[in-house]
Amino acid sequence: MGHDGAVLSRLLPALAALALAVLTAGCGGGPARDPAAEGSPERSASATPAASEAGGETFESDVELARSLGEDFWRRRFEADGLRYEPLRDFIAYQPLKGPACAGEPALPNNAFYCPEGHFVAFDERWMREMNDRLGDASIYLIILHEIGHAVQAQTMSDFRLNVERELQADCYAGGALGTLVSAGALNAEEGDEEELLINLASAGDPSDAWWRPDAHGTAGQRQQAFAGGYNQGVDSC
Ligand SMILES: [Zn+2]
């Protein structure tokens, strides 16, 4: 991902036609595991000497950009409906065993989560850096936009019978926000980003379609499909 620069929307056709790839891993509800990646795909080389100045050039700037662009997207979206988006109260990078508790539950290592009680997003920084190194910077956008999607759900009082529905909508929201940001030129998709996104989603899929489980997040295919649906059709389709 890069900031500024020409928009290269190769993601659209690729994401529209997916439903492949099956790896494994998990993500829990509450402060449990979120889009974790256990696969070990090679990071595809980002062939962009471009994407110059501010943002998207370092891990820190990608993290900050994902957060600010993601929240900005939702603020505008809420305003378009005459509503007010409540910004996150905090955005916390934590060390593996020193994360903030949420509703009495300790933060887990190798995870990112949204905490409704404190209205904050927190993530294990070392884990996120590893994902970035291993799977590319698209993973940062995916994880953070997914968690911001949970923050949006908290504000829209969305109610779900199944956890998997909540998680797939958060994936759809992440795709919708990212798709809009890319087509608006706020972010440019770089060579390899689409593969990164697909691999990330696949690697965070549930190992089986145990949709009834309280920690279900959807299979690799379901997660990719939810994300692609949002990416191609916007958050209103979620
Ligand atoms: Zn989630």
Side-chain angles (χ1 to χ4, degrees), residues 156-170:
T156 53
M157 302 294 180
S158 309
D159 199 16
F160 300 93
R161 271 186 322 119
L162 299 167
N163 190 63
V164 71
E165 295 171 344
R166 181 191 321 278
E167 294 304 328
L168 291 175
Q169 187 186 58

Side-chain angles (χ1 to χ4, degrees), residues 105-228:
E105 296 283 327
L108 299 174
N110 304 327
N111 191 36
F113 64 93
Y114 165 69
C115 177
E117 280 72 16
H119 190 47
F120 66 81
V121 164
F123 60 92
D124 176 341
E125 186 180 2
R126 197 179 64 186
W127 169 73
M128 187 106 89
R129 277 185 192 278
E130 278 168 18
M131 302 273 279
N132 179 56
D133 294 345
R134 199 151 55 88
L135 297 170
D137 62 0
S139 61
I140 296 173
Y141 291 85
L142 194 58
I143 295 167
I144 293 175
L145 293 175
H146 173 100
E147 299 308 337
I148 290 176
H150 285 314
V152 167
Q153 291 171 332
Q155 296 181 55
T156 53
M157 302 294 180
S158 309
D159 199 16
F160 300 93
R161 271 186 322 119
L162 299 167
N163 190 63
V164 71
E165 295 171 344
R166 181 191 321 278
E167 294 304 328
L168 291 175
Q169 187 186 58
D171 285 338
C172 185
Y173 279 170
L178 192 62
T180 303
L181 291 168
V182 167
S183 46
L187 280 173
N188 58 310
E190 295 162 358
E191 191 79 29
D193 278 346
E194 73 200 50
E195 280 164 72
E196 289 177 15
L197 286 162
L198 300 186
I199 290 167
N200 269 283
L201 284 157
S203 63
D206 291 338
S208 72
D209 183 19
W211 50 267
W212 60 88
R213 287 173 55 112
D215 62 346
H217 278 65
T219 62
Q222 286 170 330
R223 297 200 67 171
Q224 290 178 328
Q225 219 158 8
F227 180 88

Side-chain angles (χ1 to χ4, degrees), residues 2 36 40 42 47 51 55 61 63 65 89 98 106 112 124 132 178 184 192 197 203 218 224 237:
S40 53
E42 301 282 302
S61 60
V63 166
L65 205 54
R89 255 171 253 148
K98 297 178 182 161
D124 176 341
N132 179 56
L178 192 62
L197 286 162
S203 63
Q224 290 178 328
S237 70

